Amino acid sequence: MLAKILKPLSFILLIVAIALALRFFSELSASSKLSSAPLYATNLPDTSGKVQNLGQYQHKIIVVNFWATWCPPCKEEMPELIALQQSFKNNNVIVLGIALDEPALVADYLKTNPVNYPIFVSETAGSLLGEQLGNDKGVLPYTVIINADGKVVNTHFGRINKAILEAAIKPLISP
Amino acid sequence: MFKRFSYFLLFSFFILSASVSNAGNVTSGIKNLFTDESAEDEFLSPDAAFGVSIKQDGQTVHANFTVAPNYYLYKTRTKFEFTPAQTFELKLPKADIKNDPNFGEMEVYHQDFTATLVLKDKISTLIDVKITYQGCSEKGLCYAPQHKNFTITPDGSASLNQAATTASNTSSSNNNASESDSQAANLLKSGKWWLIILGFFTAGLLLAFTPCVFPMIPILSSIIIGKNAHVSRLHAFNLSLAYTLGMCLTYTLAGIAAGLSGQMLSSALQTPWALGFGAFIFALLALSMFGFYELKLPNSIENGLMNLSRRIKGGRFFSDFLMGVLSALIISPCVAAPLAGALLYISKTNDVLLGGVALFSLSVGMGTPLLLIGASAGTLLPKVGSWMNAVRNLFGVLMLAVAIWLIAPVIPMQVQLALWAALLIVPAIYMHALDSLPTDAKPALKFWKGIGVMMVVIGLAMLIGALSNAKSPLQPLSGLIATASNVQQQHNNLNFQPIKNIAELDNALKNAQGKPVMLDFYADWCVACKEMEQFTFSDARVQSALKDTLLLQVDVTNNTEDDKALMQKFNIFGPPGILFFNAKTAEETHLKVVGYKNADAFLQILDERGSCLPETIQC
């Protein structure tokens, strides 16, 4: 008697198992959504030690670049960020450098290697912001590109270059 | 023949894991279309790239740093801070000189090294030491500064300063999944291969003695003895080996697949329908134990397997292998906790090989008793007899208990109590608890009747509890007692402020006005969370210790994207998890609470808060 029930039952179990598997795999393609809200809510000290709210850059196309003075690839890519700021400054683009470092070291470095975009310095708050913007491993350099509507359009681990930056920025600029 | 087959299995397993690890890169590639291949071809998480542990030898502290190949740490940026402050002499070994176009010469360590600190003064109290280190990968990536806290003691036993997770770990518990998760994940993080293999093997061995494995015994016995009465010892062993390997393959594959999906498995396993499904399977298994039906595959499959095994040389092994695969699915609810831990690790690091090996050791551990049974060619298998029936019935009742325990978090307390009552009273009646004994009854009979009567009484208490709104199966009469003495037990009169997402949390932290903050992860289906509310948060001492703390709570019952993001941010694998932030809104990572803590243990953690940080004046 029960054997009869068991047969359809085992099929049902099989179907449930397949459903489970499907559910797992459907998650596979869903990538995580990043929110730019934490950026606008963050306050960080700038190079002069004055605390600034990053909300002031809302409605701009933002290139957030996390770096440090002891990080070779970060310094390598800086000239390209400077060039980007220079060529797109009239297109509502702003590069923000966030140094996860000691203020004194950053100040020393910027004396000999000045940049044309705002730099903020904070190891703890900077790391936290990086994490909120998808840098789960605390990697440097790390670059996030946010469009004028506050949507995170791109994130990049490691050394960035002009080609990648321009490919990402150009579609965002209203002609 | 068989040898070759098992080699083939192992080989295919490795091939699979290799291909899967590539798949992992592809998925991260999907997530991040904006990447140049060289930079992100698999960089390790900072804890996998670098590690530090300390050993204390009187007033000398040795800090052993590990550095993964192709990574390096900066000599000058390795720092040690003592709280309270200490004068110490730091000896660092000779470093490699790295020439960098931007930096000139830098001193770095490419290999493991040991820093030696000699403290000037005698150690009289507990001293916290914060180790900071910074490093990069040769592939052009650096890591944000890493901080690790340790405690050194007067008696010379250094320890990693983390909230010790020593809550009671019931065997293969689902609602403690978060706890065993983190232990499993921490074990994996340590990266010590033999330790990982041993740990998971032991976990598997323990799992082999959970009730889920009982139904496999008849399957195995039918495999070994069923089809041919006379098997040689070696042959029987090989058959059970094939069966075990089938199990191994299933777990390893399931593990890798789920791990790559990046889904938080423990929370997936704790959704009401998954719990219900697990309970349903257990109820079915229990029925088979009571002899309502013989647990075997549907005839069509069985016959198909038989035909297959006649056609193929070595087919017996193959069909047993398939049986193993199917059995593994049956007992999966028991394996949830260690599995979830391993999966978590795989999904976090993409180190599929290590995760796969861990899962493989787990299933080998589970298969060991089965292999022993096989090696004994069936002599170890219990012989059928009347006592065997009693044991089977006991197992059946145990499995029903597991089923109730599984769905307990998602059903109303009254229903839960009623189910417990039924589970106690009905078997007691089967044990003749209510029949009058013949005058010349055997002592054993009297004994069992006594046990049965006790079960009936406890069952009745549960039933009364169900009807009088008791709060917990552990205190079924609390409802009555409370009304009798007119004491309204107010559970959880801590006022938590609900938090929905990271942005809200940041706001709340900002507005904490210099108060310390406690963040609690809670879910309706989480038993340990409810116990925390009932037994810990209701404790007057805990409440007074928390009176100046801002209490925030995240309700992750629905496991939304926001919930997942919050849990991932703080590396919480599922509720219950409690985090503390100091008055400067920095997380006090060493005080993370995972799993259930009773009031005393929780108070100890609360007492550890508010340590003086170097940059704060407040203590």
Side-chain angles (χ1 to χ4, degrees):
Chain A
M1 174 63 223
L2 256 150
K4 264 188 191 155
I5 302 170
L6 201 65
K7 200 166 172 178
L9 206 67
S10 58
F11 281 116
I12 292 168
L13 289 189
L14 192 69
I15 288 164
V16 173
I18 290 170
L20 256 169
L22 275 177
R23 192 180 151 196
F24 276 132
F25 279 101
S26 65
E27 303 268 343
L28 211 143
S29 51
S31 65
S32 60
K33 285 188 206 57
L34 286 171
S35 153
S36 59
L39 176 81
Y40 302 132
T42 300
N43 300 303
L44 290 175
D46 61 15
T47 41
S48 62
K50 197 167 142 245
V51 175
Q52 302 228 22
N53 175 265
L54 298 188
Q56 62 183 296
Y57 303 108
Q58 205 160 353
H59 311 305
K60 279 181 181 287
I61 297 163
I62 307 177
V63 179
V64 192
N65 173 256
F66 293 87
W67 67 288
T69 57
W70 43 266
C71 156
C74 304
K75 297 166 135 182
E76 269 172 41
E77 68 186 16
M78 270 176 140
E80 299 181 31
L81 289 163
I82 293 169
L84 178 90
Q85 179 68 56
Q86 186 59 32
S87 49
F88 290 106
K89 64 171 185 249
N90 300 327
N91 302 89
N92 196 26
V93 173
I94 182 95
V95 178
L96 303 179
I98 296 176
L100 311 185
D101 210 334
E102 292 160 31
L105 294 172
V106 173
D108 271 359
Y109 177 76
L110 292 177
K111 265 190 207 125
T112 48
N113 306 278
V115 296
N116 57 351
Y117 53 85
I119 296 275
F120 301 93
V121 189
S122 166
E123 198 195 292
T124 43
S127 302
L128 183 69
L129 177 62
E131 233 173 282
Q132 290 164 339
L133 293 175
N135 190 1
D136 52 345
K137 293 181 184 172
V139 168
L140 291 174
Y142 178 67
T143 307
V144 182
I145 298 182
I146 297 168
N147 70 10
D149 304 333
K151 200 165 148 265
V152 176
V153 282
N154 280 308
T155 60
H156 183 79
F157 295 97
R159 189 184 181 314
I160 201 154
N161 56 46
K162 189 176 169 201
I164 297 176
L165 283 167
E166 293 202 345
I169 294 284
K170 282 204 167 126
L172 305 180
I173 294 169
S174 38
Chain B
M1 170 66 227
F2 173 74
K3 230 180 182 166
R4 230 180 298 164
F5 181 61
S6 62
Y7 281 141
F8 164 75
L9 281 181
L10 272 174
F11 178 72
S12 54
F13 163 70
F14 282 119
I15 292 284
L16 258 167
S17 38
S19 63
V20 156
S21 67
N22 268 331
N25 292 344
V26 173
T27 48
S28 64
I30 291 170
K31 197 169 83 179
N32 190 355
L33 286 166
F34 177 57
T35 173
D36 64 327
E37 300 315 305
S38 61
E40 212 209 346
D41 60 349
E42 283 235 17
F43 47 90
L44 299 170
S45 75
D47 283 330
F50 311 113
V52 63
S53 62
I54 65 169
K55 265 193 27 208
Q56 190 189 344
D57 181 9
Q59 277 161 256
T60 311
V61 178
H62 301 282
N64 299 310
F65 290 87
T66 54
V67 183
N70 288 327
Y71 286 76
Y72 60 87
L73 284 174
Y74 290 104
K75 178 176 178 179
T76 49
R77 308 201 66 88
T78 306
K79 294 199 187 85
F80 301 85
E81 269 183 279
F82 289 93
T83 320
Q86 302 289 318
T87 334
F88 63 93
E89 188 192 351
L90 171 63
K91 289 205 238 9
L92 280 164
K94 205 170 156 336
D96 312 336
I97 301 293
K98 186 179 166 72
N99 252 323
D100 188 280
N102 293 318
F103 287 83
E105 291 186 348
M106 294 178 305
E107 291 186 287
V108 298
Y109 295 106
H110 284 93
Q111 279 89 25
D112 298 2
F113 65 99
T114 301
T116 310
L117 298 87
V118 182
L119 274 69
K120 198 164 138 256
D121 302 314
K122 214 164 156 39
I123 301 164
S124 53
T125 59
L126 291 182
I127 299 175
D128 279 345
V129 53
K130 180 166 121 182
I131 302 182
T132 305
Y133 50 93
Q134 282 162 245
C136 302
S137 148
E138 291 286 6
K139 287 182 192 157
L141 271 175
C142 293
Y143 291 91
Q146 304 292 313
H147 308 285
K148 293 275 180 286
N149 286 302
F150 297 89
T151 309
I152 52 178
T153 58
D155 61 14
S157 60
S159 67
L160 179 58
N161 193 347
Q162 277 183 328
T165 47
T166 48
S168 58
N169 232 345
T170 38
S171 68
S172 73
S173 87
N174 235 352
N175 55 24
N176 266 346
S178 52
E179 160 125 64
S180 11
D181 266 4
S182 57
Q183 280 173 350
N186 285 340
L187 176 66
L188 280 160
K189 256 187 212 149
S190 72
K192 296 190 176 70
W193 281 78
W194 60 271
L195 208 66
I196 290 167
I197 291 173
L198 193 76
F200 274 80
F201 179 82
T202 317
L205 210 53
L206 291 174
L207 282 172
F209 295 100
T210 53
C212 334
V213 183
F214 304 141
M216 295 170 68
I217 293 177
I219 297 181
L220 195 70
S221 66
S222 76
I223 285 175
I224 296 172
I225 324 171
K227 292 167 197 155
N228 41 352
H230 307 288
V231 280
S232 75
R233 208 155 270 249
L234 181 69
H235 192 68
F237 176 75
N238 285 344
L239 286 178
S240 38
L241 186 61
Y243 179 82
T244 312
L245 282 175
M247 261 177 33
C248 295
L249 185 77
T250 310
Y251 283 131
T252 318
L253 286 187
I256 289 168
L260 289 175
S261 76
Q263 158 75 293
M264 291 271 175
L265 191 85
S266 56
S267 34
L269 283 174
Q270 296 204 13
T271 51
W273 58 269
L275 289 176
F277 177 69
F280 177 71
I281 286 193
F282 275 105
L284 278 183
L285 291 178
L287 290 181
S288 97
M289 284 321 231
F290 294 137
F292 282 107
Y293 62 90
E294 189 59 43
L295 189 77
K296 60 182 213 278
L297 294 172
N299 277 337
S300 55
I301 299 182
E302 181 116 34
N303 293 339
L305 280 179
M306 287 293 281
N307 290 334
L308 192 69
S309 58
R310 270 198 291 272
R311 273 208 309 276
I312 308 173
K313 204 176 165 200
R316 281 287 318 275
F317 297 115
F318 186 67
S319 70
D320 284 352
F321 179 73
L322 282 185
M323 287 282 250
V325 171
L326 289 166
S327 312
L329 292 175
I330 293 178
I331 58 170
S332 49
C334 281
V335 197
L339 201 63
L343 297 186
L344 180 95
Y345 177 78
I346 299 170
S347 59
K348 271 217 187 302
T349 61
N350 272 348
D351 190 347
V352 175
L353 186 64
L354 185 58
V357 166
L359 287 175
F360 193 76
S361 340
L362 179 83
S363 32
V364 168
M366 275 179 74
T368 305
L370 301 177
L371 288 178
L372 288 177
I373 291 174
S376 71
T379 44
L380 273 184
L381 272 177
K383 293 282 174 293
V384 178
S386 67
W387 73 273
M388 184 65 192
N389 282 340
V391 170
R392 281 178 63 122
N393 288 336
L394 172 70
F395 283 168
V397 172
L398 280 179
M399 276 183 210
L400 284 177
V402 172
I404 297 175
W405 177 77
L406 272 180
I407 50 167
V410 291
I411 55 178
M413 188 53 76
Q414 284 95 324
V415 179
Q416 188 192 333
L417 283 163
L419 285 173
W420 286 122
L423 192 69
L424 283 160
I425 294 172
V426 176
I429 290 173
Y430 272 94
M431 288 161 65
H432 307 294
L434 303 182
D435 311 348
S436 50
L437 289 175
T439 43
D440 53 348
K442 288 200 185 75
L445 216 53
K446 288 182 178 163
F447 174 77
W448 286 117
K449 174 162 178 170
I451 299 285
V453 169
M454 279 171 72
M455 280 166 66
V456 169
V457 172
I458 298 173
L460 283 175
M462 292 274 182
L463 210 50
I464 293 165
L467 300 172
S468 64
N469 272 339
K471 291 271 183 293
S472 151
L474 300 176
Q475 303 165 320
L477 300 180
S478 62
L480 292 182
I481 295 160
T483 43
S485 59
N486 263 333
V487 176
Q488 271 299 312
Q489 274 194 307
Q490 278 208 314
H491 282 307
N492 184 22
N493 40 17
L494 287 179
N495 287 322
F496 283 103
Q497 175 189 336
I499 292 288
K500 283 205 182 53
N501 51 42
I502 292 178
E504 273 190 28
L505 173 68
D506 289 345
N507 264 331
L509 286 177
K510 258 219 311 272
N511 302 330
Q513 288 145 1
K515 277 181 165 185
V517 176
M518 175 172 113
L519 175 67
D520 174 40
F521 284 82
Y522 166 91
D524 286 347
W525 39 257
C526 149
V527 182
C529 306
K530 297 201 163 163
E531 285 174 345
M532 284 293 280
E533 286 196 346
Q534 244 181 66
F535 303 116
T536 308
F537 295 158
S538 60
D539 189 289
R541 292 167 304 159
V542 170
Q543 290 186 357
S544 70
L546 285 172
K547 71 178 188 300
D548 293 328
T549 305
L550 177 65
L551 304 170
L552 306 176
Q553 188 168 54
V554 186
D555 185 341
V556 297
T557 305
N558 301 326
N559 204 19
T560 60
E561 288 299 325
D562 281 342
D563 297 345
K564 282 183 200 162
L566 269 165
M567 286 200 279
Q568 266 169 354
K569 177 173 155 72
F570 296 110
N571 269 336
I572 296 258
F573 316 125
I578 296 174
L579 305 166
F580 296 98
F581 298 85
N582 61 19
K584 304 272 287 184
T585 69
E587 189 195 343
E588 300 195 65
T589 39
H590 60 284
L591 292 182
K592 194 164 161 184
V593 177
V594 179
Y596 174 73
K597 290 272 179 295
N598 65 22
D600 293 335
F602 192 64
L603 269 169
Q604 261 183 341
I605 292 163
L606 290 181
D607 289 345
E608 280 180 50
R609 289 186 311 164
S611 49
C612 312
L613 289 159
E615 64 266 28
T616 55
I617 320 140
Q618 297 167 300
C619 286

